[in-house]
Amino acid sequence: MKMKAAMLYGVKDLRVENVDVPEVDAGEVLVRVKAATTCGTDLKILQRGYIEKVIKLPTIFGHEWAGEVAEVGEGLGWPKKGMRVRAGNSAPCLRCAMCQRGKYNLCENMIWLWGAYAEYIKVPARMVSVNMQEVPQHVSYEEAAVTEPLACVLHGVEEARVKLGDTVTIVGAGPIGLLHLLTVKKIGAEKTIIIDVVKERLNLAKKLGVDEAINAEKENVVEEVRGLTGGYGADVVIEAIGLPATWEQALKLVRKGGTVLEFGGCPPGTEIKIDTELLHYGEVTVLGAFHTTPLHFKKALNLIASRTIDVRPLITRRMRLEDIKEAFNILSTSKSEIKIAINP
Ligand SMILES: [Zn+2]
Ligand SMILES: [Zn+2]
């Protein structure tokens, strides 16, 4: 049997082709993809490449998806054929030194699942057991697909220890910045400030309830954030872009004793400068956060299902799999699109 799939061959080389539907072995599950959502990481990989540890080319592209179980491998009591599910995009081994320390996101033997932009996706056995969930009837497939980025955000926000009453500044109003906004508001941030250079994104942030939106092209970001925080800076600053310049800018927006979460992944080989006084006299905590854990995937889907975190406003367009290249063109040029749902 053949299926349509978007194959990634290299930088800026994505092709929709007819490929074999994967065969299912014991413990594996074949899912008919019903919706896959685009991600900033996908756009980065397409435009500049990525580390081979995470993605080996050529491969079917895409990692945020949900669908309906089409085939269940031998030996599995769960899931059932026809069940609505989401899974992936990672499954830790639970045995390595990192897993044994509870750092499942840093697993030394992580398996990564690509292949969302296709009619079918095969879920490996380990992923079926540690990172696959049933999607409740009232949750759309495209909402369920957003479980992955939300899981990453939940992990980051937990690491940064955002608390009730905090002032939180978010650098970047793309999909990840906006998911951080929705999350810290639910945690009980007293004041939220978001920074971007795109007016349309700042407007969407306002619709989603941000207290202050700063246009970095028009305003002095450091002065504005200081002004909005009694001169001190924010309790927590979250960088959600992934550029050394904005990583450094984030350090200038935090109060003494505050926390900076450098969330966005920068291009390989890049470095930033940190003023030692900031860490010593300022007691600022600077954190990185990478990916997420199965527990956070579970929490993320539950929060989406209860609409505690309503991800629906982030899906701004729907397109067919055949038009995937056009979808990424739109994402790289349009100012108002956040996530596009691809319907294979
Ligand atoms: Zn993603
Ligand atoms: Zn491991």
Side-chain angles (χ1 to χ4, degrees), residues 39 41 63-64 148-149 339:
C39 172
T41 308
H63 64 276
E64 302 177 3
E148 187 268 338
K339 286 176 100 64

Side-chain angles (χ1 to χ4, degrees), residues 43-74:
L43 191 60
K44 272 188 206 174
I45 293 171
L46 191 60
Q47 289 177 337
R48 71 181 191 207
Y50 205 60
I51 48 174
E52 197 173 310
K53 216 175 165 186
V54 178
I55 184 165
K56 273 201 184 66
L57 303 182
T59 180
I60 303 175
F61 203 29
H63 64 276
E64 302 177 3
W65 60 275
E68 192 185 290
V69 174
E71 218 182 307
V72 181
E74 229 176 284

Side-chain angles (χ1 to χ4, degrees), residues 57-178:
L57 303 182
T59 180
I60 303 175
F61 203 29
H63 64 276
E64 302 177 3
W65 60 275
E68 192 185 290
V69 174
E71 218 182 307
V72 181
E74 229 176 284
L76 284 176
W78 182 98
K80 297 286 179 220
K81 203 172 163 175
M83 191 182 267
R84 307 169 87 243
V85 294
R86 65 143 301 274
N89 63 331
S90 68
C93 74
L94 312 183
R95 303 184 68 92
C96 73
M98 293 301 122
C99 284
Q100 298 278 303
R101 284 164 176 76
K103 299 295 290 180
Y104 302 107
N105 57 314
L106 302 181
C107 173
E108 301 277 347
N109 312 306
M110 189 81 94
I111 53 171
W112 300 94
L113 180 62
W114 295 89
Y117 302 139
E119 289 177 275
Y120 292 89
I121 188 168
K122 184 174 84 169
V123 184
R126 187 204 286 174
M127 202 166 283
V128 173
S129 54
V130 305
N131 194 4
M132 184 176 214
Q133 296 142 274
E134 182 171 6
V135 175
Q137 283 299 333
H138 71 278
V139 180
S140 68
Y141 287 110
E142 57 185 37
E143 278 177 273
V146 183
T147 298
E148 187 268 338
L150 180 59
C152 296
V153 164
L154 295 180
H155 166 247
V157 163
E158 269 183 29
E159 294 288 302
R161 297 199 168 83
V162 176
K163 291 183 295 295
L164 185 71
D166 277 352
T167 291
V168 180
T169 295
I170 299 163
V171 184
I176 289 292
L178 294 172

Side-chain angles (χ1 to χ4, degrees), residues 211-322:
D211 298 301
E212 305 286 347
I214 300 173
N215 190 327
E217 237 161 35
K218 298 200 175 115
E219 289 161 278
N220 180 318
V221 170
V222 177
E223 266 175 30
E224 287 295 318
V225 171
R226 299 263 156 198
L228 290 166
T229 53
Y232 294 105
D235 298 305
V236 178
V237 179
I238 300 169
E239 197 276 0
I241 295 178
L243 291 172
T246 40
W247 274 43
E248 286 184 353
Q249 183 181 55
L251 299 168
K252 299 193 174 95
L253 307 178
V254 70
R255 70 158 166 84
K256 279 186 184 175
T259 299
V260 177
L261 172 64
E262 306 284 21
F263 189 89
C266 292
T270 50
E271 291 180 358
I272 61 160
K273 270 208 173 98
I274 299 182
D275 180 350
T276 54
E277 288 186 23
L278 185 76
L279 300 192
H280 184 72
Y281 300 106
E283 287 196 346
V284 165
T285 302
V286 183
L287 293 167
F290 172 68
H291 195 56
T292 190
T293 75
L295 176 67
H296 292 99
F297 276 100
K298 194 164 198 168
K299 278 191 195 174
L301 181 60
N302 291 345
L303 290 168
I304 288 170
S306 64
R307 304 262 156 75
T308 304
I309 295 180
D310 188 353
V311 297
R312 290 172 294 182
L314 303 186
I315 299 164
T316 48
R317 191 187 278 246
R318 285 152 195 94
M319 294 177 76
R320 298 176 315 154
L321 178 60
E322 290 88 331

